Amino acid sequence: PETFLVLTGKQSTALARAVTERSLAAHVRHLGFLPYGDYQRLMTCVDVFLLPFVDTVANRGRWPGRIRDYMAAARPVISNPVGEMGRLLAEHDIGALAGENAVDMAEKIDFLRAHPEVRERQGATARRLAEQRFSMEKITDDLALCYRETWDRFRAAARASR
């Protein structure tokens, strides 16, 4: 009863119907698309972020940009063991991995709701990871290094083929 779900972005007709059918409107708010400043302020009001990732080919190779925002907000993330999200959450104590079903997702939410010390620890770890591994400076440096190494290999292969 204390849980409140806040959604942003495109509204799902199926979810809206499920909320109505289950009389959950008092616990769910869909805010639609928000300007980034409003989105940032909203993130400070959240205890746990949900990033459901259905196991599809597209999700196995996708990195959702919002994960960096979630980590920067110093809050834990609950997602599914799919692609990079599965790997990120398995390697770093920044949240929980749930099976692709509502019951397991709800159990992970309930656990974090009941254990604020775990939320705090995972949120702090997520923030450090955002600052150290996923900062724009680090990502830019890594990308520049990748380009340099690729260019050097290309030039070496071109010289060798002469």
Side-chain angles (χ1 to χ4, degrees):
E2 300 86 21
T3 302
F4 196 77
L5 179 64
V6 179
L7 303 156
T8 61
K10 183 179 178 185
Q11 184 164 8
S12 160
T13 305
L15 179 60
R17 186 172 37 254
V19 167
T20 301
E21 288 171 359
R22 291 170 176 81
S23 302
L24 295 172
H27 296 279
V28 178
R29 290 290 180 273
H30 189 272
L31 304 178
F33 291 95
L34 299 174
Y36 192 69
D38 293 345
Y39 180 68
Q40 287 179 308
R41 281 189 288 286
L42 172 66
M43 289 193 307
T44 65
C45 302
V46 172
D47 291 323
V48 176
F49 288 105
L50 304 179
L51 189 54
F53 245 40
V54 177
D55 190 7
T56 64
V57 172
N59 283 342
R60 287 181 208 146
R62 187 167 80 96
W63 177 263
R66 64 185 164 210
I67 188 65
R68 289 180 55 240
D69 290 334
Y70 294 173
M71 290 187 298
R75 304 296 193 278
V77 177
I78 300 173
S79 190
N80 307 100
V82 176
E84 292 299 315
M85 285 300 86
R87 190 170 135 223
L88 178 68
L89 288 166
E91 291 177 2
H92 303 281
D93 184 28
I94 63 169
L97 288 169
E100 281 189 51
N101 62 75
V103 171
D104 197 29
M105 184 73 74
E107 287 173 356
K108 301 298 191 267
I109 294 167
D110 283 345
F111 176 83
L112 288 174
R113 188 185 60 75
H115 295 88
E117 72 285 355
V118 175
R119 284 196 321 263
E120 287 291 319
R121 184 189 75 240
Q122 290 179 334
T125 300
R127 177 64 190 204
R128 277 192 307 279
L129 193 61
E131 291 172 347
Q132 296 168 4
R133 174 63 190 96
F134 294 107
S135 70
M136 285 308 292
E137 294 81 12
K138 175 72 171 132
I139 290 171
T140 302
D141 290 347
D142 288 351
L143 184 58
L145 177 62
C146 178
Y147 284 147
R148 270 194 307 277
E149 289 174 351
T150 301
W151 179 248
D152 290 346
R153 284 194 304 271
F154 173 77
R155 286 179 31 182
R159 279 192 301 268
S161 66
R162 290 183 194 163

